[in-house]
Amino acid sequence: MDILIAGVGGQGIILASRALASAAVKAGLPVRTAETIGMAQREGSVVSHVRLGLAEGGPLIPLGSADVLLALEPAEACRNLKYLRPGGKALVSTSPIIPVLAALGSTPYPLEDILTYLRRNVPACYSFDALDLAVKAGSPRALNIVMLGALANLGLPFPAELLLNEALNLLPPRVHDINRRAFALGRRALEV
């Protein structure tokens, strides 16, 4: 199962990919991962490739072959749609991270156009406001865990509880309760 995680710096994409990889290893599956980080410190694009159950082959998901696009930001979902295979699933957080030029009014950020484009071009596109759920869980920083909770409903090759436990192992104990709530809210948001 190939999962491409896309978003911008500061959204916890690397932690999400490491939790997925760790859960796969605990489940006895081979796994390969790779990351492109770029200007992550300045809200630049971040992409993580996670290949579960792949015994041979490289860590990068070829264009047009990802089973799931897990997008933590709508524009990044569009930017990385080329990785999704026909019939693949896109799981998209609808909360935008407005780029500086758009915030200054120099360029538009057409959120509704972006979401409409995704829904029209990906038959299995699931979208919801993961940031709102993260805030309800106790912290906007738990957005990545909300998305992992939703992803757990899309047929991962290991139990959801294993994924949650591996994510918690990467986080300090003081935020475990928040992230447990975030994971549960994500699972409820995407009951397919």
Side-chain angles (χ1 to χ4, degrees):
M1 179 179 216
D2 287 345
I3 302 168
L4 190 89
I5 307 174
V8 300
Q11 290 192 303
I13 294 160
I14 304 305
L15 186 138
S17 69
R18 289 183 181 159
L20 277 167
S22 182
V25 168
K26 286 273 172 84
L29 297 170
V31 62
R32 301 207 191 294
T33 65
E35 294 138 2
T36 57
I37 295 175
M39 296 292 285
Q41 296 285 329
R42 297 179 183 259
E43 297 183 348
S45 295
V46 176
V47 176
S48 185
H49 299 245
V50 181
R51 307 190 79 185
L52 305 174
L54 182 70
E56 296 180 10
L60 297 176
I61 299 169
L63 294 175
S65 64
D67 299 294
V68 176
L69 169 61
L70 185 71
L72 281 63
E73 203 283 332
E76 294 301 320
C78 276
R79 190 184 325 273
N80 291 286
L81 202 54
K82 61 191 173 210
Y83 283 97
L84 193 63
R85 69 171 170 76
K89 298 172 182 171
L91 182 54
V92 180
S93 173
T94 59
S95 300
I97 303 290
I98 305 295
V100 172
L101 289 178
L104 294 173
S106 299
T107 62
Y109 187 104
L111 176 61
E112 288 309 315
D113 292 344
I114 289 169
L115 294 174
T116 299
Y117 177 82
L118 290 168
R119 291 171 184 144
R120 284 187 182 157
N121 289 283
V122 182
C125 181
Y126 307 101
S127 58
F128 61 94
D129 189 346
L131 179 60
D132 181 59
L133 294 178
V135 169
K136 286 177 181 167
S139 171
R141 296 176 60 126
L143 182 147
N144 59 342
I145 304 300
V146 170
M147 295 299 285
L148 285 181
L151 176 66
N153 289 351
L154 293 183
L156 292 175
F158 41 75
E161 293 72 26
L162 179 58
L163 177 57
L164 174 60
N165 287 337
E166 293 309 305
L168 293 177
N169 285 339
L170 297 169
L171 294 165
R174 64 183 160 75
V175 297
H176 282 188
D177 287 343
I178 291 170
N179 284 281
R180 280 190 189 95
R181 289 192 296 271
F183 193 84
L185 288 170
R187 293 207 70 189
R188 272 187 245 141
L190 188 69
E191 293 179 333
V192 292

PDB file of all heavy atoms in Angstrom, residues 133-146 164 168 171-186:
ATOM      1  N   LEU A 133     -11.296  19.788  14.060  1.00  0.00           N
ATOM      2  CA  LEU A 133     -11.324  18.626  14.957  1.00  0.00           C
ATOM      3  C   LEU A 133     -10.115  18.614  15.889  1.00  0.00           C
ATOM      4  O   LEU A 133     -10.230  18.236  17.062  1.00  0.00           O
ATOM      5  CB  LEU A 133     -11.390  17.334  14.138  1.00  0.00           C
ATOM      6  CG  LEU A 133     -12.675  17.141  13.336  1.00  0.00           C
ATOM      7  CD1 LEU A 133     -12.613  15.852  12.523  1.00  0.00           C
ATOM      8  CD2 LEU A 133     -13.898  17.140  14.243  1.00  0.00           C
ATOM      9  N   ALA A 134      -8.959  19.013  15.366  1.00  0.00           N
ATOM     10  CA  ALA A 134      -7.761  19.070  16.209  1.00  0.00           C
ATOM     11  C   ALA A 134      -7.951  20.080  17.342  1.00  0.00           C
ATOM     12  O   ALA A 134      -7.580  19.816  18.487  1.00  0.00           O
ATOM     13  CB  ALA A 134      -6.544  19.422  15.362  1.00  0.00           C
ATOM     14  N   VAL A 135      -8.536  21.222  17.009  1.00  0.00           N
ATOM     15  CA  VAL A 135      -8.803  22.236  18.033  1.00  0.00           C
ATOM     16  C   VAL A 135      -9.777  21.675  19.083  1.00  0.00           C
ATOM     17  O   VAL A 135      -9.590  21.854  20.283  1.00  0.00           O
ATOM     18  CB  VAL A 135      -9.344  23.527  17.390  1.00  0.00           C
ATOM     19  CG1 VAL A 135      -9.881  24.492  18.432  1.00  0.00           C
ATOM     20  CG2 VAL A 135      -8.247  24.192  16.556  1.00  0.00           C
ATOM     21  N   LYS A 136     -10.803  20.967  18.606  1.00  0.00           N
ATOM     22  CA  LYS A 136     -11.755  20.353  19.547  1.00  0.00           C
ATOM     23  C   LYS A 136     -11.079  19.310  20.432  1.00  0.00           C
ATOM     24  O   LYS A 136     -11.466  19.109  21.585  1.00  0.00           O
ATOM     25  CB  LYS A 136     -12.911  19.716  18.774  1.00  0.00           C
ATOM     26  CG  LYS A 136     -13.870  20.747  18.206  1.00  0.00           C
ATOM     27  CD  LYS A 136     -14.969  20.109  17.397  1.00  0.00           C
ATOM     28  CE  LYS A 136     -15.880  21.204  16.843  1.00  0.00           C
ATOM     29  NZ  LYS A 136     -16.785  20.726  15.812  1.00  0.00           N
ATOM     30  N   ALA A 137     -10.051  18.646  19.898  1.00  0.00           N
ATOM     31  CA  ALA A 137      -9.315  17.650  20.689  1.00  0.00           C
ATOM     32  C   ALA A 137      -8.420  18.309  21.730  1.00  0.00           C
ATOM     33  O   ALA A 137      -8.027  17.667  22.699  1.00  0.00           O
ATOM     34  CB  ALA A 137      -8.477  16.771  19.765  1.00  0.00           C
ATOM     35  N   GLY A 138      -8.073  19.583  21.499  1.00  0.00           N
ATOM     36  CA  GLY A 138      -7.266  20.279  22.488  1.00  0.00           C
ATOM     37  C   GLY A 138      -6.078  21.042  21.946  1.00  0.00           C
ATOM     38  O   GLY A 138      -5.460  21.820  22.662  1.00  0.00           O
ATOM     39  N   SER A 139      -5.741  20.834  20.645  1.00  0.00           N
ATOM     40  CA  SER A 139      -4.602  21.556  20.085  1.00  0.00           C
ATOM     41  C   SER A 139      -4.635  21.495  18.558  1.00  0.00           C
ATOM     42  O   SER A 139      -4.787  20.405  17.989  1.00  0.00           O
ATOM     43  CB  SER A 139      -3.284  20.951  20.565  1.00  0.00           C
ATOM     44  OG  SER A 139      -2.203  21.529  19.858  1.00  0.00           O
ATOM     45  N   PRO A 140      -4.422  22.639  17.881  1.00  0.00           N
ATOM     46  CA  PRO A 140      -4.341  22.607  16.419  1.00  0.00           C
ATOM     47  C   PRO A 140      -3.162  21.779  15.918  1.00  0.00           C
ATOM     48  O   PRO A 140      -3.159  21.322  14.781  1.00  0.00           O
ATOM     49  CB  PRO A 140      -4.203  24.088  16.038  1.00  0.00           C
ATOM     50  CG  PRO A 140      -3.705  24.766  17.253  1.00  0.00           C
ATOM     51  CD  PRO A 140      -4.244  23.992  18.416  1.00  0.00           C
ATOM     52  N   ARG A 141      -2.186  21.572  16.775  1.00  0.00           N
ATOM     53  CA  ARG A 141      -1.003  20.788  16.389  1.00  0.00           C
ATOM     54  C   ARG A 141      -1.312  19.311  16.240  1.00  0.00           C
ATOM     55  O   ARG A 141      -0.471  18.540  15.770  1.00  0.00           O
ATOM     56  CB  ARG A 141       0.108  20.999  17.403  1.00  0.00           C
ATOM     57  CG  ARG A 141       0.593  22.443  17.419  1.00  0.00           C
ATOM     58  CD  ARG A 141       1.623  22.641  18.492  1.00  0.00           C
ATOM     59  NE  ARG A 141       2.753  21.765  18.227  1.00  0.00           N
ATOM     60  CZ  ARG A 141       3.994  22.167  18.134  1.00  0.00           C
ATOM     61  NH1 ARG A 141       4.278  23.418  18.323  1.00  0.00           N
ATOM     62  NH2 ARG A 141       4.960  21.323  17.887  1.00  0.00           N
ATOM     63  N   ALA A 142      -2.502  18.890  16.633  1.00  0.00           N
ATOM     64  CA  ALA A 142      -2.892  17.477  16.511  1.00  0.00           C
ATOM     65  C   ALA A 142      -3.580  17.185  15.180  1.00  0.00           C
ATOM     66  O   ALA A 142      -4.115  16.094  14.994  1.00  0.00           O
ATOM     67  CB  ALA A 142      -3.800  17.087  17.680  1.00  0.00           C
ATOM     68  N   LEU A 143      -3.529  18.131  14.246  1.00  0.00           N
ATOM     69  CA  LEU A 143      -4.165  17.925  12.937  1.00  0.00           C
ATOM     70  C   LEU A 143      -3.648  16.654  12.267  1.00  0.00           C
ATOM     71  O   LEU A 143      -4.418  15.887  11.680  1.00  0.00           O
ATOM     72  CB  LEU A 143      -3.909  19.140  12.045  1.00  0.00           C
ATOM     73  CG  LEU A 143      -4.538  19.125  10.657  1.00  0.00           C
ATOM     74  CD1 LEU A 143      -4.913  20.532  10.229  1.00  0.00           C
ATOM     75  CD2 LEU A 143      -3.645  18.510   9.616  1.00  0.00           C
ATOM     76  N   ASN A 144      -2.344  16.407  12.347  1.00  0.00           N
ATOM     77  CA  ASN A 144      -1.795  15.207  11.700  1.00  0.00           C
ATOM     78  C   ASN A 144      -2.365  13.933  12.318  1.00  0.00           C
ATOM     79  O   ASN A 144      -2.613  12.944  11.610  1.00  0.00           O
ATOM     80  CB  ASN A 144      -0.267  15.213  11.764  1.00  0.00           C
ATOM     81  CG  ASN A 144       0.274  15.263  13.183  1.00  0.00           C
ATOM     82  OD1 ASN A 144      -0.439  15.611  14.121  1.00  0.00           O
ATOM     83  ND2 ASN A 144       1.538  14.931  13.343  1.00  0.00           N
ATOM     84  N   ILE A 145      -2.634  13.949  13.608  1.00  0.00           N
ATOM     85  CA  ILE A 145      -3.168  12.748  14.264  1.00  0.00           C
ATOM     86  C   ILE A 145      -4.646  12.580  13.907  1.00  0.00           C
ATOM     87  O   ILE A 145      -5.123  11.452  13.755  1.00  0.00           O
ATOM     88  CB  ILE A 145      -2.963  12.827  15.793  1.00  0.00           C
ATOM     89  CG1 ILE A 145      -1.476  13.033  16.121  1.00  0.00           C
ATOM     90  CG2 ILE A 145      -3.503  11.576  16.476  1.00  0.00           C
ATOM     91  CD1 ILE A 145      -0.549  11.924  15.623  1.00  0.00           C
ATOM     92  N   VAL A 146      -5.381  13.673  13.743  1.00  0.00           N
ATOM     93  CA  VAL A 146      -6.759  13.579  13.234  1.00  0.00           C
ATOM     94  C   VAL A 146      -6.745  12.876  11.876  1.00  0.00           C
ATOM     95  O   VAL A 146      -7.531  11.956  11.619  1.00  0.00           O
ATOM     96  CB  VAL A 146      -7.397  14.980  13.097  1.00  0.00           C
ATOM     97  CG1 VAL A 146      -8.721  14.902  12.349  1.00  0.00           C
ATOM     98  CG2 VAL A 146      -7.606  15.615  14.465  1.00  0.00           C
ATOM     99  N   LEU A 164      -2.114   4.251  16.396  1.00  0.00           N
ATOM    100  CA  LEU A 164      -2.211   5.253  17.468  1.00  0.00           C
ATOM    101  C   LEU A 164      -1.075   5.084  18.476  1.00  0.00           C
ATOM    102  O   LEU A 164      -0.424   6.056  18.863  1.00  0.00           O
ATOM    103  CB  LEU A 164      -3.566   5.169  18.172  1.00  0.00           C
ATOM    104  CG  LEU A 164      -3.723   6.067  19.398  1.00  0.00           C
ATOM    105  CD1 LEU A 164      -3.542   7.539  19.042  1.00  0.00           C
ATOM    106  CD2 LEU A 164      -5.072   5.839  20.055  1.00  0.00           C
ATOM    107  N   LEU A 168       1.775   7.802  19.451  1.00  0.00           N
ATOM    108  CA  LEU A 168       1.972   8.280  20.826  1.00  0.00           C
ATOM    109  C   LEU A 168       3.406   8.060  21.292  1.00  0.00           C
ATOM    110  O   LEU A 168       3.946   8.870  22.057  1.00  0.00           O
ATOM    111  CB  LEU A 168       0.986   7.590  21.775  1.00  0.00           C
ATOM    112  CG  LEU A 168      -0.492   7.951  21.561  1.00  0.00           C
ATOM    113  CD1 LEU A 168      -1.378   7.142  22.511  1.00  0.00           C
ATOM    114  CD2 LEU A 168      -0.742   9.440  21.711  1.00  0.00           C
ATOM    115  N   LEU A 171       5.503  11.008  20.635  1.00  0.00           N
ATOM    116  CA  LEU A 171       5.076  12.268  21.250  1.00  0.00           C
ATOM    117  C   LEU A 171       5.350  12.254  22.751  1.00  0.00           C
ATOM    118  O   LEU A 171       5.332  11.190  23.378  1.00  0.00           O
ATOM    119  CB  LEU A 171       3.575  12.476  21.025  1.00  0.00           C
ATOM    120  CG  LEU A 171       3.150  12.682  19.564  1.00  0.00           C
ATOM    121  CD1 LEU A 171       1.648  12.499  19.421  1.00  0.00           C
ATOM    122  CD2 LEU A 171       3.576  14.060  19.095  1.00  0.00           C
ATOM    123  N   PRO A 172       5.558  13.426  23.353  1.00  0.00           N
ATOM    124  CA  PRO A 172       5.753  13.464  24.812  1.00  0.00           C
ATOM    125  C   PRO A 172       4.449  13.099  25.538  1.00  0.00           C
ATOM    126  O   PRO A 172       3.364  13.415  25.047  1.00  0.00           O
ATOM    127  CB  PRO A 172       6.161  14.914  25.086  1.00  0.00           C
ATOM    128  CG  PRO A 172       5.755  15.688  23.888  1.00  0.00           C
ATOM    129  CD  PRO A 172       5.679  14.741  22.734  1.00  0.00           C
ATOM    130  N   PRO A 173       4.555  12.447  26.684  1.00  0.00           N
ATOM    131  CA  PRO A 173       3.358  12.005  27.413  1.00  0.00           C
ATOM    132  C   PRO A 173       2.365  13.129  27.721  1.00  0.00           C
ATOM    133  O   PRO A 173       1.167  12.890  27.775  1.00  0.00           O
ATOM    134  CB  PRO A 173       3.927  11.414  28.705  1.00  0.00           C
ATOM    135  CG  PRO A 173       5.311  10.989  28.331  1.00  0.00           C
ATOM    136  CD  PRO A 173       5.789  11.987  27.319  1.00  0.00           C
ATOM    137  N   ARG A 174       2.840  14.359  27.888  1.00  0.00           N
ATOM    138  CA  ARG A 174       1.930  15.458  28.252  1.00  0.00           C
ATOM    139  C   ARG A 174       0.881  15.744  27.172  1.00  0.00           C
ATOM    140  O   ARG A 174      -0.133  16.382  27.455  1.00  0.00           O
ATOM    141  CB  ARG A 174       2.717  16.723  28.577  1.00  0.00           C
ATOM    142  CG  ARG A 174       3.493  17.289  27.428  1.00  0.00           C
ATOM    143  CD  ARG A 174       4.317  18.517  27.841  1.00  0.00           C
ATOM    144  NE  ARG A 174       5.381  18.781  26.914  1.00  0.00           N
ATOM    145  CZ  ARG A 174       5.220  19.320  25.698  1.00  0.00           C
ATOM    146  NH1 ARG A 174       4.023  19.677  25.310  1.00  0.00           N
ATOM    147  NH2 ARG A 174       6.252  19.505  24.897  1.00  0.00           N
ATOM    148  N   VAL A 175       1.092  15.276  25.933  1.00  0.00           N
ATOM    149  CA  VAL A 175       0.111  15.522  24.873  1.00  0.00           C
ATOM    150  C   VAL A 175      -0.613  14.255  24.439  1.00  0.00           C
ATOM    151  O   VAL A 175      -1.336  14.256  23.438  1.00  0.00           O
ATOM    152  CB  VAL A 175       0.760  16.226  23.652  1.00  0.00           C
ATOM    153  CG1 VAL A 175       1.279  17.599  24.035  1.00  0.00           C
ATOM    154  CG2 VAL A 175       1.842  15.371  23.025  1.00  0.00           C
ATOM    155  N   HIS A 176      -0.434  13.163  25.157  1.00  0.00           N
ATOM    156  CA  HIS A 176      -1.070  11.906  24.753  1.00  0.00           C
ATOM    157  C   HIS A 176      -2.593  11.987  24.758  1.00  0.00           C
ATOM    158  O   HIS A 176      -3.245  11.503  23.836  1.00  0.00           O
ATOM    159  CB  HIS A 176      -0.588  10.761  25.649  1.00  0.00           C
ATOM    160  CG  HIS A 176       0.780  10.283  25.271  1.00  0.00           C
ATOM    161  ND1 HIS A 176       1.351   9.168  25.820  1.00  0.00           N
ATOM    162  CD2 HIS A 176       1.704  10.774  24.397  1.00  0.00           C
ATOM    163  CE1 HIS A 176       2.561   8.989  25.305  1.00  0.00           C
ATOM    164  NE2 HIS A 176       2.794   9.954  24.447  1.00  0.00           N
ATOM    165  N   ASP A 177      -3.171  12.580  25.802  1.00  0.00           N
ATOM    166  CA  ASP A 177      -4.640  12.638  25.865  1.00  0.00           C
ATOM    167  C   ASP A 177      -5.210  13.440  24.701  1.00  0.00           C
ATOM    168  O   ASP A 177      -6.209  13.047  24.091  1.00  0.00           O
ATOM    169  CB  ASP A 177      -5.100  13.239  27.198  1.00  0.00           C
ATOM    170  CG  ASP A 177      -4.895  12.274  28.354  1.00  0.00           C
ATOM    171  OD1 ASP A 177      -4.720  11.060  28.086  1.00  0.00           O
ATOM    172  OD2 ASP A 177      -4.903  12.730  29.502  1.00  0.00           O
ATOM    173  N   ILE A 178      -4.588  14.564  24.392  1.00  0.00           N
ATOM    174  CA  ILE A 178      -5.043  15.370  23.250  1.00  0.00           C
ATOM    175  C   ILE A 178      -4.996  14.555  21.968  1.00  0.00           C
ATOM    176  O   ILE A 178      -5.938  14.546  21.167  1.00  0.00           O
ATOM    177  CB  ILE A 178      -4.167  16.643  23.106  1.00  0.00           C
ATOM    178  CG1 ILE A 178      -4.429  17.599  24.262  1.00  0.00           C
ATOM    179  CG2 ILE A 178      -4.409  17.329  21.762  1.00  0.00           C
ATOM    180  CD1 ILE A 178      -3.455  18.759  24.340  1.00  0.00           C
ATOM    181  N   ASN A 179      -3.913  13.834  21.779  1.00  0.00           N
ATOM    182  CA  ASN A 179      -3.756  13.087  20.530  1.00  0.00           C
ATOM    183  C   ASN A 179      -4.646  11.845  20.479  1.00  0.00           C
ATOM    184  O   ASN A 179      -5.067  11.438  19.401  1.00  0.00           O
ATOM    185  CB  ASN A 179      -2.285  12.771  20.301  1.00  0.00           C
ATOM    186  CG  ASN A 179      -1.543  14.007  19.825  1.00  0.00           C
ATOM    187  OD1 ASN A 179      -1.618  14.363  18.664  1.00  0.00           O
ATOM    188  ND2 ASN A 179      -0.875  14.701  20.754  1.00  0.00           N
ATOM    189  N   ARG A 180      -4.941  11.263  21.615  1.00  0.00           N
ATOM    190  CA  ARG A 180      -5.933  10.163  21.623  1.00  0.00           C
ATOM    191  C   ARG A 180      -7.302  10.686  21.165  1.00  0.00           C
ATOM    192  O   ARG A 180      -7.978  10.061  20.368  1.00  0.00           O
ATOM    193  CB  ARG A 180      -6.052   9.550  23.022  1.00  0.00           C
ATOM    194  CG  ARG A 180      -4.975   8.573  23.366  1.00  0.00           C
ATOM    195  CD  ARG A 180      -5.297   7.826  24.682  1.00  0.00           C
ATOM    196  NE  ARG A 180      -4.150   7.061  25.099  1.00  0.00           N
ATOM    197  CZ  ARG A 180      -3.245   7.486  25.965  1.00  0.00           C
ATOM    198  NH1 ARG A 180      -3.391   8.650  26.567  1.00  0.00           N
ATOM    199  NH2 ARG A 180      -2.205   6.739  26.263  1.00  0.00           N
ATOM    200  N   ARG A 181      -7.679  11.864  21.701  1.00  0.00           N
ATOM    201  CA  ARG A 181      -8.958  12.462  21.285  1.00  0.00           C
ATOM    202  C   ARG A 181      -8.927  12.819  19.794  1.00  0.00           C
ATOM    203  O   ARG A 181      -9.907  12.594  19.080  1.00  0.00           O
ATOM    204  CB  ARG A 181      -9.257  13.713  22.120  1.00  0.00           C
ATOM    205  CG  ARG A 181      -9.632  13.439  23.559  1.00  0.00           C
ATOM    206  CD  ARG A 181     -10.205  14.670  24.252  1.00  0.00           C
ATOM    207  NE  ARG A 181      -9.264  15.755  24.380  1.00  0.00           N
ATOM    208  CZ  ARG A 181      -8.430  15.917  25.416  1.00  0.00           C
ATOM    209  NH1 ARG A 181      -8.440  15.065  26.423  1.00  0.00           N
ATOM    210  NH2 ARG A 181      -7.607  16.955  25.463  1.00  0.00           N
ATOM    211  N   ALA A 182      -7.800  13.360  19.340  1.00  0.00           N
ATOM    212  CA  ALA A 182      -7.679  13.737  17.921  1.00  0.00           C
ATOM    213  C   ALA A 182      -7.826  12.513  17.020  1.00  0.00           C
ATOM    214  O   ALA A 182      -8.530  12.558  16.002  1.00  0.00           O
ATOM    215  CB  ALA A 182      -6.336  14.431  17.681  1.00  0.00           C
ATOM    216  N   PHE A 183      -7.190  11.431  17.387  1.00  0.00           N
ATOM    217  CA  PHE A 183      -7.260  10.202  16.589  1.00  0.00           C
ATOM    218  C   PHE A 183      -8.703   9.689  16.534  1.00  0.00           C
ATOM    219  O   PHE A 183      -9.207   9.321  15.467  1.00  0.00           O
ATOM    220  CB  PHE A 183      -6.338   9.148  17.207  1.00  0.00           C
ATOM    221  CG  PHE A 183      -6.068   7.953  16.331  1.00  0.00           C
ATOM    222  CD1 PHE A 183      -5.069   7.987  15.363  1.00  0.00           C
ATOM    223  CD2 PHE A 183      -6.801   6.785  16.480  1.00  0.00           C
ATOM    224  CE1 PHE A 183      -4.815   6.891  14.561  1.00  0.00           C
ATOM    225  CE2 PHE A 183      -6.553   5.686  15.683  1.00  0.00           C
ATOM    226  CZ  PHE A 183      -5.553   5.733  14.724  1.00  0.00           C
ATOM    227  N   ALA A 184      -9.369   9.707  17.684  1.00  0.00           N
ATOM    228  CA  ALA A 184     -10.764   9.238  17.738  1.00  0.00           C
ATOM    229  C   ALA A 184     -11.678  10.134  16.898  1.00  0.00           C
ATOM    230  O   ALA A 184     -12.563   9.640  16.182  1.00  0.00           O
ATOM    231  CB  ALA A 184     -11.244   9.188  19.187  1.00  0.00           C
ATOM    232  N   LEU A 185     -11.468  11.444  16.949  1.00  0.00           N
ATOM    233  CA  LEU A 185     -12.293  12.357  16.143  1.00  0.00           C
ATOM    234  C   LEU A 185     -12.049  12.136  14.651  1.00  0.00           C
ATOM    235  O   LEU A 185     -12.983  12.209  13.851  1.00  0.00           O
ATOM    236  CB  LEU A 185     -11.996  13.814  16.533  1.00  0.00           C
ATOM    237  CG  LEU A 185     -12.533  14.245  17.894  1.00  0.00           C
ATOM    238  CD1 LEU A 185     -11.985  15.623  18.285  1.00  0.00           C
ATOM    239  CD2 LEU A 185     -14.060  14.266  17.895  1.00  0.00           C
ATOM    240  N   GLY A 186     -10.812  11.874  14.279  1.00  0.00           N
ATOM    241  CA  GLY A 186     -10.515  11.570  12.880  1.00  0.00           C
ATOM    242  C   GLY A 186     -11.201  10.299  12.418  1.00  0.00           C
ATOM    243  O   GLY A 186     -11.749  10.233  11.312  1.00  0.00           O
TER     244      GLY A 186
END
